[in-house]
Amino acid sequence: MPKIILITGANAGIGLKTAEELVKAGHHVILACRNLGKAEQAKTQLENLGTGQVDLIQLDLNSLEKVSHAANEVLKKYDHIDVLINNAGLISKHLDYTEDGYEKHFGVNFLGHFLWTLKLLPLLKKSVQGRIIHLSSIAHWAGHIQPHKFLAENNKHYIMFPSYGSSKLQNLLFSNLLATQLEGSNVTSNALHPGAVDSELYRQLPKFQYIFVSLALIPPSKPANLIKRMALDEGWAKKNGQYASVQTPAFSSKKSKDLKLAQQLYDVSYDLVKTYL
Ligand SMILES: NC(=O)c1ccc[n+]([C@@H]2O[C@H](COP(=O)([O-])OP(=O)(O)OC[C@H]3O[C@@H](n4cnc5c(N)ncnc54)[C@H](OP(=O)(O)O)[C@@H]3O)[C@@H](O)[C@H]2O)c1
């Protein structure tokens, strides 16, 4: 029986490769993408694999209003979702603002997905067994939860890596908190570090840095296989609140397991998005 699987940022990198694996296995994949031109190309490429159905929804995580609009479209179009893969993400070399004035990593990598997930949760609950998968990163070890820095204008001394790491810590804390909230329900929430993957993520790095980093990169097919297992395997059906990894032992930081911190992040974030729910 084909599953309905929604992937954010599915027009490139890990998201596209994961979509490919899932379409090849005959599943119905919804690509939720910002860049429609690139997404149309990805859709055609996936349809040529000739098996699972492929749909496209425009999603720009850079704006809470647009996230809400895209989620409403999904709610109207589908009666359930079996798997939600929160994959889209970016690294921003310079301090940048979302449309709502949030620091870009916080706003796009975390807060947009936070709103998206809360809005789509009712559709996952309508699945026989819903699964939510969050793309975190080993970079979460460098992260902090500092609500005063959520607004871009409060980041006077911006440094790229801890800022990205913080958004990946936020993804993991959200996954862990959701897992406790969903305990005993038909929906699970798990996260992963996909490894250091050769994708467009590093496009903003200076060339010499990219050359250095690229020596250690693995192909997107590796995390795509792990995500496929997390999405479909019977062995993952009952796993909830886990952190998996392709490359390294899956050690997550003490901070990422702090459910009090996760609840604080949830409460602050809920306040920021509640008018869009
Ligand atoms: N690559 C790695 O080594 C690595 C390591 C650890 C974790 N991760 C995580 O894995 C995930 C996927 O990364 P990747 O390596 O596949 O990167 P990628 O090739 O750069 O793909 C990122 C995807 O996110 C989308 N995206 C960016 N901003 C968006 C927005 N405002 N709204 C909607 N979609 C947006 C991009 O769409 P556009 O094409 O429109 O920009 C693209 O489809 C990310 O969450 C990343 O943090 C990656």
Side-chain angles (χ1 to χ4, degrees), residues 34-268:
R34 167 180 63 171
N35 181 329
L36 272 193
K38 243 166 102 180
E40 289 287 359
Q41 268 182 20
K43 184 171 183 286
T44 308
Q45 182 186 322
L46 293 167
E47 281 169 343
N48 286 338
L49 298 172
T51 37
Q53 184 178 335
V54 186
D55 294 344
L56 182 55
I57 292 272
Q58 185 163 31
L59 167 69
D60 187 354
L61 292 155
N62 194 46
S63 148
L64 292 176
E65 192 171 338
K66 288 179 185 156
V67 172
S68 175
H69 180 81
N72 289 340
E73 215 181 308
V74 177
L75 287 162
K76 251 191 258 153
K77 236 171 146 176
Y78 302 94
D79 64 358
H80 75 282
I81 291 174
D82 297 299
V83 186
L84 172 62
I85 303 173
N86 288 332
N87 162 78
L90 53 80
I91 293 184
S92 183
K93 196 160 67 169
H94 303 292
L95 174 63
D96 202 355
Y97 292 62
T98 68
E99 276 185 22
D100 306 287
Y102 297 111
E103 187 281 315
K104 198 95 166 178
H105 294 106
F106 171 74
V108 170
N109 295 358
F110 169 67
L111 194 66
H113 276 124
F114 177 80
L115 172 61
W116 176 247
T117 306
L118 293 193
K119 288 202 66 132
L120 297 181
L121 207 46
L123 284 188
L124 284 139
K125 288 187 174 165
K126 287 191 187 148
S127 163
V128 175
Q129 206 260 304
R131 304 185 190 189
I132 306 172
I133 299 169
H134 308 256
L135 271 282
S136 177
S137 167
I138 196 169
H140 81 268
W141 281 84
H144 304 278
I145 302 302
Q146 297 169 305
H148 66 283
K149 288 195 170 173
F150 291 170
L151 281 175
E153 65 185 21
N154 293 341
N155 287 262
K156 297 280 178 274
H157 307 288
Y158 174 81
I159 311 175
M160 178 184 78
F161 190 66
S163 180
Y164 171 71
S166 297
S167 70
K168 295 290 116 182
L169 174 63
Q170 289 148 7
N171 292 145
L172 186 49
L173 284 167
F174 179 41
S175 177
N176 290 342
L177 190 77
L178 259 187
T180 64
Q181 290 178 346
L182 293 168
E183 200 64 60
S185 80
N186 61 328
V187 184
T188 59
S189 168
N190 292 293
L192 74 143
H193 166 55
V197 183
D198 195 1
S199 72
E200 295 178 18
L201 191 72
Y202 303 105
R203 59 192 150 194
Q204 282 208 19
L205 289 186
K207 209 165 180 182
F208 77 92
Q209 264 184 37
Y210 175 77
I211 290 168
F212 183 68
V213 167
S214 67
L215 296 173
L217 298 178
I218 59 171
S221 54
K222 292 213 169 162
N225 278 318
L226 172 61
I227 297 168
K228 186 181 168 197
R229 290 202 300 279
M230 292 172 78
L232 300 174
D233 277 13
E234 210 30 57
W236 274 91
K238 295 236 157 53
K239 289 187 183 174
N240 190 26
Q242 305 260 320
Y243 173 68
S245 171
V246 173
Q247 269 179 318
T248 53
F251 293 138
S252 60
S253 68
K254 195 170 162 204
K255 217 181 277 172
S256 73
K257 295 178 199 147
D258 180 345
L259 288 178
K260 244 169 107 181
L261 186 65
Q263 186 66 54
Q264 281 164 11
L265 174 67
Y266 185 97
D267 292 343
V268 172

